[in-house]
Amino acid sequence: MSAIPPPIGLLAELTHRCPLGCPYCSNPVALEKRGDELDTATWQRVMREAAALGVLQLHLSGGEPTARRDLEDILATAAEAGLYSNLITSGVLLDRARLQTLAAAGLNHVQLSIQHAEAEAADRIAHFRGAHARKLALAEQVREAGLALTINAVLHRGNLDAVAEIIALAEQLGAGRLEIAHTQYHGWALRNRAALMPEAAQVEDSRRVVAEARQRLEGRMVIDFVAPDYHATRPKACMGGWGRRFLNISPSGAVLPCHAAETIPGLRFDRVTERSLEAIWYGSEAFNCFRGTAWMPEPCRSCDRREIDWGGCRCQALALTGDAARADPVCALSPDHGVMAAVTAEPAGEALAWRR
């Protein structure tokens, strides 16, 4: 037990309810129902257990977390426990009064999603008329409330031509941080992969634009850039490594190493209604299944990067090879790396399945 470090971050998916229909959403296609969500008291207990376990950062997510009417109560408990709270929101359900009550309850940070820099295109991607205007208004209210603001933009074929404009918008909105993340193909995004997948030239252009903006905005706005796995040759340490730094709790209370882990067949994920968070973190069979390096196949097991990328993404290996225990196909050394080239060479699709 002592060899396993405590987690530093908790992603709490309070609900899968969301007014937007973004086709790149990584929530599962089979969304959890409102009636299956954890109640207020259970989430409050989880906040206290997370702090006692060593968690420092709480990310309140969904779906749209502000769809929960008890968000203030959950936040207040988290603040009392000493957790730094980050609200990951679409912004369309928030107004000035609600934001002020959340701030009074202890909210520290708002991470606001945008879909494009241009209103019509943004609303089309979000599948919600008027969403972009609401987001711009909320960004101003966040600053007025004295809360830290991060703008998040998920990149795909439908908005890669607007990376420079998205950066300019985040600067205009006064964000201290901008996260530009290429789509991760899980859930709804996997269903829409053919329509969302960019070309390699588009990806490289986005790298160039971000690099230039980082240099120009150094000291004024931090830009985090998450490159797409499908055009890479080395995998990323998914969530910092399976069961090493972060844990995720689903709306119904399943405790997961990452938000897509429930796609892996044969793993049983304990619930906070059954065991304590500490017991799950250290003793869960699912968490220990891909923890460390002992599980790794070759070439991962003898690779000098095995304790850097921790084998990459298990859910991605499953989606692309049918086996979560295989080497992540992103890696150029993986015997399945050719799968990536085949996927990126597929004809681009046009039809989108809107999240619902």
Side-chain angles (χ1 to χ4, degrees):
M1 181 183 296
S2 61
I4 302 172
I8 63 170
L10 165 61
L11 180 67
E13 293 185 323
L14 301 181
T15 181
H16 278 163
R17 289 174 281 150
C18 184
L20 304 191
C22 304
Y24 58 76
C25 182
S26 58
N27 279 161
V29 174
L31 298 169
E32 295 187 10
K33 306 298 184 184
R34 180 175 184 172
D36 295 327
E37 294 172 9
L38 296 178
D39 61 22
T40 310
T42 303
W43 275 119
Q44 289 175 316
R45 172 175 59 81
V46 166
M47 297 301 126
R48 290 188 286 266
E49 290 185 1
L53 183 57
V55 169
L56 301 175
Q57 300 171 350
L58 168 65
H59 304 278
L60 297 160
S61 182
E64 174 49 56
T66 60
R68 295 270 310 216
R69 295 181 180 179
D70 59 354
L71 180 56
E72 287 85 346
D73 296 326
I74 296 170
L75 256 175
T77 300
E80 290 169 4
L83 297 174
Y84 181 92
S85 57
N86 173 36
L87 178 66
I88 302 173
T89 180
S90 67
V92 300
L93 298 183
L94 271 175
D95 57 20
R96 188 186 306 274
R98 182 88 191 277
L99 181 64
Q100 289 173 346
T101 64
L102 293 173
L107 179 63
N108 301 111
H109 186 284
V110 174
Q111 181 173 317
L112 177 64
S113 67
I114 61 171
Q115 283 69 37
H116 202 284
E118 195 275 323
E120 183 178 352
D123 289 353
R124 182 174 62 252
I125 295 168
H127 210 55
F128 189 104
R129 184 175 297 176
H132 190 67
R134 296 191 191 188
K135 293 168 184 287
L136 300 188
L138 180 65
E140 181 178 353
Q141 293 161 12
V142 169
R143 293 200 318 273
E144 290 174 356
L147 299 172
L149 174 65
T150 290
I151 297 296
N152 171 265
V154 176
L155 298 184
H156 46 82
R157 192 155 55 91
N159 63 4
L160 262 173
D161 60 340
V163 175
E165 290 80 4
I166 288 171
I167 295 171
L169 178 58
E171 184 182 5
Q172 174 189 328
L173 294 175
R177 181 178 296 270
L178 168 63
E179 181 180 280
I180 298 181
H182 279 265
T183 298
Q184 303 297 299
Y185 293 98
H186 305 294
W188 290 91
L190 182 59
R191 174 177 283 194
N192 288 306
R193 187 176 66 189
L196 297 172
M197 181 71 67
E199 297 179 357
Q202 292 177 298
V203 173
E204 288 309 307
D205 190 56
S206 70
R207 289 181 190 273
R208 177 189 58 77
V209 172
V210 169
E212 292 173 355
R214 277 176 167 167
Q215 186 174 20
R216 177 175 61 84
L217 295 170
E218 185 177 5
R220 287 190 286 154
M221 184 172 73
V222 175
I223 302 178
D224 293 328
F225 180 72
V226 181
D229 287 340
Y230 280 59
H231 291 284
T233 57
R234 288 290 183 269
K236 296 189 287 287
C238 181
M239 301 294 285
W242 181 282
R244 288 190 57 80
R245 300 182 67 190
F246 296 95
L247 46 79
N248 184 110
I249 301 178
S250 76
S252 61
V255 185
L256 314 169
C258 73
H259 62 276
E262 286 182 294
T263 61
I264 301 176
L267 291 184
R268 181 186 182 278
F269 296 99
D270 295 318
R271 297 181 179 276
V272 295
T273 51
E274 303 166 342
R275 304 177 70 187
S276 71
L277 211 54
E278 180 181 24
I280 296 171
W281 176 256
Y282 289 113
S284 166
E285 180 180 346
F287 269 80
N288 287 320
C289 183
F290 297 115
R291 195 175 243 155
T293 60
W295 64 272
M296 291 182 179
E298 293 293 351
C300 305
R301 183 173 294 185
S302 57
C303 180
D304 59 6
R305 291 180 56 84
R306 63 186 177 277
E307 293 189 5
I308 298 174
D309 59 39
W310 299 101
C313 179
R314 299 302 85 223
C315 303
Q316 189 159 257
L318 172 69
L320 291 168
T321 73
D323 183 356
R326 289 187 69 82
D328 189 335
V330 169
C331 184
L333 301 177
S334 165
D336 300 307
H337 186 63
V339 173
M340 307 303 286
V343 169
T344 55
E346 290 175 354
E350 296 297 334
L352 288 170
W354 304 102
R355 182 199 188 278
R356 60 188 184 279

